[in-house]
Amino acid sequence: MSETTTIATWIVLDSPDEASEYPSVGADSSKPEFQLVYWRCIALFFLSARIHNPEHALLLYCNRRVAEVAPPRIAALLAELGVAEVTLPLTHRLPPEAAARWGNVFYEIDILRHYAEAGGPPSLLLADSDCLWRRPFAPFEARLRAEQCLLYTLRPADQKAYQGDVLINGMSRRRMAATAETLFGRGPAGEMPFQGGEFSAFTLGWCRRALPLAERLWELARTEAELPDAIRTEEHLWSIIAVALGVRPYGANDIVRRIWTNFDAANAKPEDLDLTLWHLPSEKKFGFRRMWHAIEAGDRPPLALSPDEFNAMTRRFMGVPQRGPRKVALDLAAKLRERLALAAGLGRVA
Ligand SMILES: [Mn+2]
């Protein structure tokens, strides 16, 4: 049993009747092209995790057997990297009327429950698959043991419309604060912090304390599925639980950042080069796709890349801190191809 944190991500393969829209990927999450976008992210997530964290256990949660659903080359890479697999059905899904977007994200409750019940590693780090490792996690192990839970808190500058009444992906911060207060007797000291769902790291003990709260919030989310200002995503869950259990805001903000690299909202900056983990939501179909193809076509085995070589690639392919002219041209061409395909009614991933 590893004494270090297990590094995990997840993927849910939706069937056509379960499909929903994911704004930065496409309109139908049951399509193979949609799912391939995520498999490439998973390949690079774990490859970067392994290159920077040779001793850490790696784990993928999936609702199907990886060997049956992953593209064969990606399944082979995951095996070579030593990525373990937990096959876990998705049992927390809001009705389609309430979750036209991001229908899968309450899978994190299934993961919390599985980890709380099955036990195992002393701590779990759960990240979105569209994240890339740039440095080792080891320097933060002691902080995680001391604080029990580290979360990434969005700063007002990182989040459009940050006033209390404004819905952030379907729920206002005012309502999140009131929910924490009403259900768990503890509201925020000042402004309600908004926790990004892309990163959470917690100990087994913390997970066992958080699980009943998550289940209670899930009940509420289901009852309020028709309300305009209610729990819609895992970020609302994390934000409320964090306040209820007194998790310090900004605990992981020097580890990870949500970096926008796309046309109108780019906010990458030189300091991002110091981070341990990059979350790159707008690169799923651009940087991740091209970098995976480059690695697949490369003449060296992926694990032969040194951490520095790998970081040079992620910097170039993801355009952090800025996009080079070649990436700008390729991104524009890819966007244009996508528009043309849509216009032609080919129904490709948008
Ligand atoms: Mn993401």
Side-chain angles (χ1 to χ4, degrees):
M1 182 73 51
S2 163
E3 284 311 304
T4 53
T5 298
T6 289
I7 295 173
T9 188
W10 56 267
I11 181 171
V12 169
L13 288 316
D14 286 339
S15 61
D17 56 314
E18 299 161 335
S20 72
E21 184 196 1
Y22 291 70
S24 61
V25 185
D28 183 346
S29 59
S30 73
K31 292 259 194 298
E33 312 89 272
F34 179 103
Q35 297 177 349
L36 182 57
V37 170
Y38 281 92
W39 283 116
R40 288 190 208 105
C41 293
I42 286 170
L44 292 181
F45 174 84
F46 281 122
L47 178 58
S48 64
R50 178 51 80 226
I51 285 174
H52 286 285
N53 303 276
E55 306 295 328
H56 281 63
L58 306 178
L59 179 62
L60 176 62
Y61 292 93
C62 181
N63 63 331
R64 312 263 306 271
R65 293 292 314 277
V66 171
E68 289 162 15
V69 285
R73 291 196 64 168
I74 293 178
L77 174 69
L78 297 183
E80 193 192 336
L81 298 174
V83 178
E85 165 183 6
V86 169
T87 309
L88 185 65
L90 168 63
T91 66
H92 297 82
R93 190 193 290 275
L94 284 179
E97 318 81 82
R101 292 178 156 187
W102 302 296
N104 281 334
V105 294
F106 293 107
Y107 193 49
E108 294 201 351
I109 307 179
D110 289 301
I111 294 173
L112 290 181
R113 185 159 66 193
H114 181 271
Y115 178 47
E117 287 172 1
S123 45
L124 186 69
L125 185 161
L126 200 54
D128 273 12
S129 57
D130 53 347
C131 289
L132 284 175
W133 288 85
R134 299 267 312 168
R135 289 161 185 268
F137 184 70
F140 306 105
E141 294 279 7
R143 187 197 298 175
L144 176 54
R145 275 194 299 279
E147 299 198 26
Q148 312 261 314
C149 176
L150 302 177
L151 295 176
Y152 167 61
T153 310
L154 289 172
R155 299 192 182 277
D158 296 330
Q159 184 67 42
K160 288 172 219 155
Y162 207 71
Q163 292 80 37
D165 289 326
V166 175
L167 301 187
I168 303 180
N169 299 328
M171 189 179 204
S172 69
R173 289 190 305 130
R174 204 182 301 284
R175 184 84 213 287
M176 291 175 221
T179 304
E181 182 82 58
T182 315
L183 289 189
F184 308 123
R186 186 167 178 181
E191 287 278 286
M192 177 75 193
F194 186 69
Q195 312 295 350
E198 59 267 75
F199 178 96
S200 56
F202 41 84
T203 61
L204 181 57
W206 188 90
C207 179
R208 288 181 172 150
R209 280 189 288 134
L211 180 65
L213 281 66
E215 297 284 10
R216 179 69 191 87
L217 290 169
W218 169 248
E219 269 175 47
L220 183 70
R222 279 199 317 186
T223 347
E224 299 193 341
E226 312 287 321
L227 290 190
D229 183 356
I231 297 170
R232 290 285 185 278
T233 76
E234 86 289 12
E235 299 188 324
H236 308 141
L237 279 191
W238 283 113
S239 300
I240 297 166
I241 293 172
V243 161
L245 293 182
V247 175
R248 179 174 69 91
Y250 303 106
N253 282 54
D254 58 343
I255 302 174
V256 60
R257 196 168 84 86
R258 185 181 299 180
I259 304 172
W260 295 103
T261 45
N262 58 0
F263 303 90
D264 47 351
N267 67 359
K269 51 190 185 189
E271 301 89 290
D272 292 332
L273 296 173
D274 300 331
L275 292 168
T276 297
L277 196 62
W278 287 347
H279 178 213
L280 301 150
S282 50
E283 292 299 328
K284 289 185 198 69
K285 290 183 294 168
F286 302 96
F288 280 93
R289 164 190 244 136
R290 286 197 293 268
M291 184 162 163
W292 171 248
H293 286 156
I295 283 180
E296 254 193 325
D299 44 13
R300 293 166 64 197
L303 272 175
L305 293 163
S306 72
D308 285 345
E309 287 171 315
F310 195 84
N311 283 353
M313 284 183 86
T314 57
R315 187 176 167 159
R316 181 160 46 92
F317 279 96
M318 304 300 153
V320 178
Q322 71 267 318
R323 289 193 292 180
R326 184 174 155 76
K327 177 164 167 60
V328 173
L330 289 170
D331 286 353
L332 280 169
K335 258 253 171 313
L336 187 63
R337 273 200 307 277
E338 189 178 286
R339 296 259 159 90
L340 289 172
L342 273 182
L346 298 179
R348 295 233 194 101
V349 170

